[in-house]
């Protein structure tokens, strides 16, 4: 029997535990046990079954003396009783003891040594072990010799929770116990649950030390100027930060300390659906590397060719790869404190301009709002986009009240004289559901971003948006001016005005929950419906 120390618990298992295996061993084992297949050019291709994304409604936080007054309880942070967690843990450990194979990785969440957390991850899939050792920060040999785990994650896709016994919603569970420093993940093969659990840990711990945790990508310009890119899934965080002319710090999760922006991770987790070598050459190149893991990407069983346009397995197909698979990455996954903050949104209403300059108050307003919009998809009878407000551009991963993170951001913006921009990567000329309406051209988005990052956009002429009050450039070299004014891009101006007022109303309604937690300047940064002539 093998003993595994998990916090204050010792679990005996009949399995031999693969300790800190590297990429070749893990991928060999994954193929040997039928977890995935190798594609033509080397990546491992796996399927995650019915869970092709996070199970947000199946995540719980244990409500006890540690968390009762520190967690922002509600739809996002749902409580679990200590008794239910105790029953779940007992059954989890019993299930763990019977697994035929187990893999353990000892890793760090966070690249800045004084602000990182030591995490051990035990899982039953070799490819999950490969995923997490790619996505987190790997210790040096010396650090590994002295490694002492502060938190433990147990990841058992074959486990099935019992709602009556464990207080869960379904057979799937992600249970977080901050007092015991233990996270239990069961009933899902989606590997992203593990990395987001570490993000949640850091989002809980770092604000106490005055460090701003962020759901963002980050890169560094030639002059040492750091930019961070906030945005929800599908808005372009990974794509826009993977710029060959700038040094990549990371694509998803970072901390902003007094001295640095530091990556929480050692790898990237990019969307693969409709990936093309023309639009995203750096990311596309990773799909031809051994060590990359592709989730739910369709593969020809004979030729082993990949089809990134086929969404029959998932719209949320993903690829995980080491950060150094992207050219020009930071040696230490860190950079100077930011000069620029970019907030990305994919506005499917076609209302927002492609770029707008924000004051610090407006930046906090839009950060707390965390707006994007999605096309309703295949639902019968749904003909309009769907607004999504995810506070701090990452509500599912924010255990504390959003005002904690919002005030940290506002303080750091003011302290560093940071320039803030709102960038719309969504649709222009109409709502996304209208015939012939297309997304913002990525070349135009990149050109506007480059102008914002190099400072040349500050010299442009600006107008005040009548609905949102932020400043919008009137003309930018190389950019069609019609693109800069979304109202002019609509054939039916009255329809634009009606749609804009709908979106403004949704912003105002959503922000009501934060109004008592912010100062008057932030409340005044709210949008106003345009007055009809």
């Amino acid at each position: 029997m093998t003993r595994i120390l998990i916090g204050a618990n010792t679990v005996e298992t009949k399995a031999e535990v693969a300790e800190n295996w590297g990429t070749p061993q893990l991928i060999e084992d994954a193929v040997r046990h039928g977890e995935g297949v190798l594609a033509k050019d080397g990546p491992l291709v796996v399927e995650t079954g019915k869970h092709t994304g996070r199970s947000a409604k199946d995540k719980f936080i244990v409500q006890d003396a540690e968390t009762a007054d520190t967690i922002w309880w509600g739809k996002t942070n749902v409580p679990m009783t200590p008794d239910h967690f105790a029953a779940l843990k007992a059954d989890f450990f019993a299930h763990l003891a019977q697994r035929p194979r187990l893999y353990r990785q000892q890793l760090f969440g966070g690249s800045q040594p004084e602000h990182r957390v030591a995490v051990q991850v035990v899982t039953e899939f070799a490819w999950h072990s490969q995923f997490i050792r790619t996505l987190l920060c790997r210790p040096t040999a010396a650090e590994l010799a002295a490694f002492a785990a502060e938190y433990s994650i147990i990841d058992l896709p074959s486990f099935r929770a019992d709602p009556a016994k464990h207080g869960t919603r379904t057979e799937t569970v992600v249970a977080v116990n901050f007092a015991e420093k233990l996270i239990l993940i069961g009933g899902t093969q989606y590997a992203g649950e593990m990395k987001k659990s570490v993000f949640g840990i850091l989002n809980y711990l770092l604000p106490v030390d005055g460090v701003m945790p962020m759901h963002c990508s980050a890169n560094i310009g030639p002059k040492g100027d750091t930019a961070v890119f906030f945005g929800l899934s599908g808005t372009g965080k990974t794509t826009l930060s993977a710029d060959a002319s700038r040094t990549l710090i990371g694509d998803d999760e970072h901390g902003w300390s007094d001295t640095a922006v530091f990556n929480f991770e050692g790898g990237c987790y990019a969307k693969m659906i409709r990936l093309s070598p023309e639009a995203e050459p750096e990311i596309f190149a990773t799909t031809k590397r051994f060590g990359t893991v592709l989730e739910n990407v369709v593969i020809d069983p004979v030729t082993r060719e990949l089809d990134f346009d086929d969404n029959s397995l998932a719209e949320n197909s993903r690829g995980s790869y080491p950060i150094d698979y992207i050219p020009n990455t930071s040696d230490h996954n860190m950079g100077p404190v930011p000069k620029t903050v970019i907030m990305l949104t994919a506005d499917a209403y076609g209302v927002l301009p492609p770029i707008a300059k924000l004051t610090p108050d407006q930046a906090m307003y839009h950060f707390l709002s965390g707006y994007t919009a999605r096309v309703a998809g295949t639902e019968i009878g749904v003909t309009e986009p769907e607004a999504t407000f995810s506070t701090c551009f990452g509500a599912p991963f924010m255990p504390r009240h959003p005002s904690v993170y919002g005030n940290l951001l506002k303080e750091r913006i003011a302290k560093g004289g940071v320039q803030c921009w709102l960038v719309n990567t969504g649709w222009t000329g109409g709502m996304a559901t209208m015939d012939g309406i297309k997304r913002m051209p990525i070349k135009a988005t990149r050109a506007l971003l480059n102008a914002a990052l190099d400072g040349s956009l500050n010299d442009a002429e600006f107008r005040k948006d009548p609905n949102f009050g932020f400043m919008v450039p009137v003309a930018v070299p190389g950019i069609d001016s019609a693109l800069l004014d979304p109202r002019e891009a609509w054939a039916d101006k009255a329809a634009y005005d009606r749609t804009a007022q709908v979106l403004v109303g949704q912003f105002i309604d959503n922000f009501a929950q934060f109004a008592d937690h912010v100062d008057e300047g932030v409340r005044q940064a709210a949008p106003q419906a345009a007055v009809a002539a």
Side-chain angles (χ1 to χ4, degrees), residues 28-340:
E28 283 176 353
D29 232 38
V31 172
R32 182 183 299 120
H33 293 110
E35 295 176 14
V37 297
L38 290 178
K40 175 185 173 184
D41 296 307
L44 179 69
V45 182
V46 300
E47 295 183 18
T48 64
K50 68 177 182 178
H51 293 288
T52 60
R54 291 181 307 101
S55 299
K57 293 181 179 179
D58 294 308
K59 177 191 165 189
F60 303 87
I61 298 176
V62 176
Q63 188 173 41
D64 52 22
E66 163 82 16
T67 59
D69 298 323
T70 56
I71 298 297
W72 180 43
W73 300 110
K75 292 182 181 179
T76 297
N77 298 309
V78 179
M80 173 179 277
T81 68
D83 287 345
H84 277 141
F85 185 84
L88 179 68
K89 182 175 74 171
D91 289 346
F92 235 83
F93 286 177
H95 193 77
L96 182 74
Q98 297 303 314
R99 295 305 87 208
R101 299 181 306 279
L102 290 172
Y103 306 84
R104 183 169 76 139
Q105 295 288 341
Q106 295 169 304
L107 303 158
F108 292 120
S111 300
Q112 191 168 15
E114 55 267 47
H115 297 302
R116 69 190 180 189
V117 61
V119 182
Q120 69 167 340
V121 184
V122 179
T123 187
E124 61 183 318
F125 286 173
W127 83 262
H128 274 204
S129 195
Q130 168 64 13
F131 171 91
I132 202 63
R133 78 178 296 274
T134 298
L135 266 296
L136 295 187
C137 302
R138 293 179 290 281
T140 64
E143 289 169 337
L144 203 55
F147 194 91
E150 299 167 73
Y151 279 79
S152 298
I153 297 174
I154 313 300
D155 170 60
L156 301 177
S158 63
F159 181 85
R160 297 292 180 265
D162 180 344
K165 184 178 183 181
H166 302 135
T168 60
R169 188 182 69 96
T170 66
E171 293 183 335
T172 300
V173 63
V174 179
V176 181
N177 190 318
F178 283 112
E180 295 190 25
K181 300 183 177 181
L182 176 62
I183 297 174
L184 306 176
I185 302 171
T188 174
Q189 296 182 49
Y190 180 67
E193 296 285 12
M194 292 182 288
K195 94 179 196 84
K196 289 303 184 187
S197 294
V198 177
F199 189 32
I201 292 170
L202 289 164
N203 284 340
Y204 183 72
L205 298 177
L206 292 181
V208 178
D209 297 326
V211 177
M212 172 69 185
M214 304 178 291
H215 185 211
C216 70
S217 57
N219 61 26
I220 312 168
K223 297 179 181 178
D225 54 304
T226 298
V228 299
F229 300 74
F230 289 104
L232 300 174
S233 178
T235 57
K237 287 196 321 298
T238 298
T239 299
L240 294 171
S241 59
D243 182 337
S245 68
R246 297 176 64 87
T247 300
L248 182 68
I249 301 173
D251 81 322
D252 198 32
E253 298 162 3
H254 295 80
W256 183 349
S257 70
D258 289 337
T259 58
V261 166
F262 61 97
N263 195 353
F264 288 170
E265 303 178 313
C268 300
Y269 194 35
K271 277 199 167 187
M272 293 287 126
I273 194 67
R274 291 176 284 278
L275 184 71
S276 76
E278 295 79 24
E280 300 167 278
E282 294 86 4
I283 297 172
F284 189 85
T286 70
T287 67
K288 298 179 178 294
R289 298 284 298 271
F290 179 76
T292 293
V293 177
L294 301 176
E295 299 175 27
N296 303 313
V297 173
V298 173
I299 182 172
D300 187 296
V302 177
T303 66
R304 302 295 176 92
E305 295 277 0
L306 300 168
D307 185 350
F308 295 105
D309 294 324
D310 189 335
N311 67 350
S312 58
L313 292 177
E315 182 70 20
N316 187 41
S317 57
R318 293 272 179 169
S320 56
Y321 47 87
I323 194 168
D324 59 14
Y325 280 16
I326 297 291
N328 194 23
T329 54
S330 168
D331 291 336
H332 303 289
N333 284 359
M334 291 194 291
V337 294
K339 296 289 186 185
T340 309

